[in-house]
Amino acid sequence: MTVKLAIVYYSSYGTNHQMATIAAEAAKSAGAEVRLLKARETAPDEAINGQDAWKAHHEATADVPEATADDMEWANAYLISAGTRFGVMASQMRAFIDTLGGLWAKGGLANKPISAMTSAQNAHGGQETTLSSLYTTAMHWGGFVVAPGYTNEVLFKTGGNPYGYSHTQGAEFTDDVKSAISHQTRRLVEVAEKLA
């Protein structure tokens, strides 16, 4: 059975979009069928248009499909990437997750592996708590958390976060960073294959 991976991200300025794109490439090279999707933007236009970088990213990714409950039902694995806001996921991602009650109620989110990534303005800006909050949601779904742990030494070169890759805003996307994201994604695909 083919792994059908929904990569759902939210990104204001492009960091999580870039992370999700790297993950999508890694998943496809591992044999997965991938849907790269974004959580719907809920911020008012005035806020987006008031910040050049936010507006530019919003316009540049206008063609990326918005995630739906149908996408989540289609998938047999999930990779979620969202920025950190005050120690938890960005409200846009939370708003998307909160639309999934009907699918959750009929068991459509259960028994699927999930992994998560995040970013924040600084290294101690709540990245680990954001990942924990995403995994808490997965536990309510009955999903299987697939964290990278310390399963590859590249993780030590990119901050050593065993919960999921986390990027500090403005840091370069080095080869090690790309390797860490790719490793986490391939690990998720491998687990999904075993479960399938």
Side-chain angles (χ1 to χ4, degrees), residues 19 79-81 114-119 127-132 134-135 145-150 155 158-167 180-181 183-185 187:
M19 292 159 55
L79 179 60
I80 296 178
S81 187
I114 180 170
S115 199
M117 303 184 296
T118 191
S119 66
Q127 296 179 17
E128 292 182 354
T129 57
T130 297
L131 294 171
S132 293
L134 282 160
Y135 292 147
V145 173
V146 183
Y150 294 115
L155 300 170
T158 57
N161 189 335
Y163 308 109
Y165 178 72
S166 56
H167 195 82
I181 293 169
H183 170 72
Q184 181 175 347
T185 306
R187 179 172 162 78

Side-chain angles (χ1 to χ4, degrees), residues 59 73 80 99 123 155:
E59 291 171 352
E73 187 166 25
I80 296 178
T99 69
L155 300 170

Side-chain angles (χ1 to χ4, degrees), residues 19-122:
M19 292 159 55
T21 301
I22 293 166
E25 292 170 4
K28 288 174 186 174
S29 70
E33 185 179 344
V34 177
R35 290 186 185 177
L36 179 64
L37 309 156
K38 65 184 176 189
R40 187 174 65 84
E41 181 59 80
T42 59
D45 289 341
E46 313 86 77
I48 298 167
N49 294 332
Q51 297 186 33
D52 290 343
W54 195 354
K55 180 181 178 184
H57 179 68
H58 187 67
E59 291 171 352
T61 57
D63 62 333
V64 177
E66 291 181 353
T68 67
D70 287 343
D71 293 310
M72 300 298 276
E73 187 166 25
W74 164 84
N76 55 24
Y78 307 124
L79 179 60
I80 296 178
S81 187
T84 295
R85 300 290 184 272
F86 302 108
V88 294
M89 71 187 87
S91 63
Q92 291 87 343
M93 183 61 75
R94 187 74 246 173
F96 167 66
I97 288 172
D98 287 346
T99 69
L100 301 175
L103 183 57
W104 165 80
K106 67 178 190 177
L109 298 167
N111 303 320
K112 298 179 182 182
I114 180 170
S115 199
M117 303 184 296
T118 191
S119 66
Q121 185 176 3
N122 53 64

Side-chain angles (χ1 to χ4, degrees), residues 159-176:
N161 189 335
Y163 308 109
Y165 178 72
S166 56
H167 195 82
T168 302
Q169 185 65 34
E172 186 180 348
F173 278 87
T174 64
D175 288 343
D176 284 340

